[in-house]
Amino acid sequence: MADPELMSIGAFAKLAGLTASALRFYDDAGLLRPEQVDPVTGYRFYGESQLVRASQLRQLREMGMPLSTIGRFFTAGAAEAARLIDEQVGQVTAEAKEIQQTAATLKASLGEDASLTLCALPGPVLAAAVDQVLATTTRDPEVPVLAGVHLEAGPDAISLTATDRYRLATRTLVPSRPSTVSWAGTLAGDDLQSAVSWLRRRPTVTLEAGERTLALRTADGAVARCRVLTEVFPDHRLLIGSLPAVTHRVTVQAQQVLAVLGQAPATIGLRIADGRPSLLLSGTAMALHGTATGPDLTVWFELATLYPALSQALGTDVMVDLRGPDLPATVRSADDGDLTALVMPCRPDPS
């Protein structure tokens, strides 16, 4: 006779938010055994104390966690169980992004009229962002995609990225109307350059992604189109993620630095000494208004590399993260979005 405090499989299933057939499946899988099985009828009976495990099992399956991983979850300690959850979330998120990209490609393949509305941006803001990253493109017959600008649209922001393999610039914008879809593609730099002056005269433009072009559409129906390149853009996230930790940070006024660099030689040094930043120009140290962290260090840059990264800075202040004399430096600024540029140092000035 069954324990009167135990529940039938039907009653337990209702409380646990599972079906009776699912409970039989999880029993056979060894994940949720009943407290008691009637030896004559084979009926399964469950205890109230099993509801917590049943609820966790249901939630893990809703996350798409495989049965084998769930088995490990129930035998793991709290830290290991949390790690398994994080791994599953990461996998599901990656799969969701792939599905979104596939869906975007599929919709675009329906024809140029079938487009995805990404977001709306002020025309002058988008024009400035294009100018800020186009300086980092290059024409390389062997890698033509380096002449393009990679655009990524997400729910919260739009990012424009360009690289010539020696420098990298990423500009992030906050759209006036947020995106409801995710999309990524590399736009022809020549087309963007041609659209810049047009964009500056448009209060608002809506970005619409098609299979072969990205349309910039205004409220009065005017449209500028940029080709979507088919080549794969370099994995800039991998590059940024693989950088060593920052060892020094300099925060200075952008206009002061640019004024000094206007008269600078081809090679300049950024020096940190006694916690103070300065620029070395032909052996002369020019003190900068700002702050610096880290032990004494001097990093040399070519003017043609450093000046464009600083001249496009947003707001009044610019932050330079250093990792050593021969590792990429990161130039960062922020004002209604952010601008990030990687700049390679050069050999020390022989003078």
Side-chain angles (χ1 to χ4, degrees):
M1 181 177 294
D3 187 329
E5 295 187 1
L6 297 181
M7 290 175 273
S8 68
I9 190 171
F12 184 80
K14 190 173 295 185
L15 290 175
L18 295 166
T19 64
S21 58
L23 287 172
R24 295 188 190 97
F25 177 82
Y26 295 137
D27 178 13
D28 294 339
L31 295 175
L32 184 58
R33 301 286 195 190
E35 286 283 350
Q36 184 177 325
V37 178
D38 189 298
V40 177
T41 63
Y43 291 164
R44 296 169 171 87
F45 296 91
Y46 295 82
E48 186 176 352
S49 62
Q50 293 183 283
L51 284 172
V52 172
R53 185 176 181 122
S55 176
Q56 291 176 336
L57 179 53
R58 174 177 52 78
Q59 292 170 320
L60 292 171
R61 291 299 284 170
E62 287 173 354
M63 292 169 53
M65 184 176 284
L67 296 179
S68 58
T69 307
I70 293 176
R72 291 164 51 200
F73 175 90
F74 284 131
T75 59
E80 174 67 7
R83 186 187 67 80
L84 292 174
I85 292 174
D86 290 340
E87 285 185 354
Q88 181 63 22
V89 170
Q91 181 176 339
V92 171
T93 301
E95 290 173 352
K97 289 182 178 179
E98 290 181 4
I99 291 172
Q100 288 176 334
Q101 293 297 326
T102 301
T105 303
L106 181 60
K107 288 182 179 179
S109 70
L110 300 176
E112 203 58 64
D113 292 335
S115 60
L116 292 173
T117 299
L118 303 182
C119 67
L121 289 165
V125 172
L126 181 57
V130 170
D131 274 339
Q132 287 157 348
V133 299
L134 273 179
T136 314
T137 59
T138 187
R139 295 186 181 276
D140 185 338
E142 296 184 1
V143 193
V145 75
L146 296 181
V149 173
H150 193 66
L151 184 146
E152 293 178 277
D156 303 316
I158 298 290
S159 66
L160 300 170
T161 303
T163 181
D164 60 3
R165 292 180 297 188
Y166 301 98
R167 299 173 298 164
L168 184 146
T170 296
R171 175 73 164 99
T172 302
L173 301 172
V174 179
S176 51
R177 292 201 300 271
S179 175
T180 58
V181 298
S182 295
W183 183 88
T186 303
L187 309 178
D190 289 344
D191 294 352
L192 283 173
Q193 182 66 69
S194 300
V196 166
S197 60
W198 182 85
L199 285 169
R200 289 196 181 102
R201 302 191 301 273
R202 267 56 186 187
T204 302
V205 292
T206 299
L207 278 61
E208 300 174 355
E211 179 185 9
R212 295 175 295 276
T213 63
L214 179 84
L216 307 170
R217 191 180 303 276
T218 63
D220 60 3
V223 180
R225 297 187 185 275
C226 300
R227 288 165 294 152
V228 177
L229 304 180
T230 57
E231 295 88 356
V232 177
F233 193 79
D235 190 346
H236 55 287
R237 284 194 176 82
L238 178 62
L239 170 63
I240 295 173
S242 63
L243 290 174
V246 173
T247 58
H248 300 70
R249 176 165 291 159
V250 176
T251 304
V252 290
Q253 297 175 4
Q255 288 305 314
Q256 185 201 10
V257 178
L258 292 174
V260 174
L261 293 182
Q263 307 297 321
T267 305
I268 63 269
L270 178 58
R271 170 176 289 180
I272 296 174
D274 299 324
R276 297 178 181 274
S278 62
L279 289 176
L280 296 183
L281 313 173
S282 302
T284 302
M286 301 285 295
L288 298 174
H289 301 302
T291 61
T293 63
D296 292 359
L297 174 72
T298 299
V299 181
W300 293 91
F301 298 95
E302 293 180 357
L303 179 64
T305 301
L306 183 62
Y307 189 88
L310 295 171
S311 64
Q312 300 290 356
L314 307 175
T316 58
D317 300 303
V318 64
M319 184 180 295
V320 183
D321 290 339
L322 302 172
R323 299 171 176 85
D326 56 356
L327 292 170
T330 306
V331 180
R332 301 161 56 202
S333 57
D335 187 6
D336 189 26
D338 61 85
L339 177 65
T340 300
L342 292 185
V343 182
M344 286 298 298
C346 64
R347 294 182 181 275
D349 188 343
S351 62

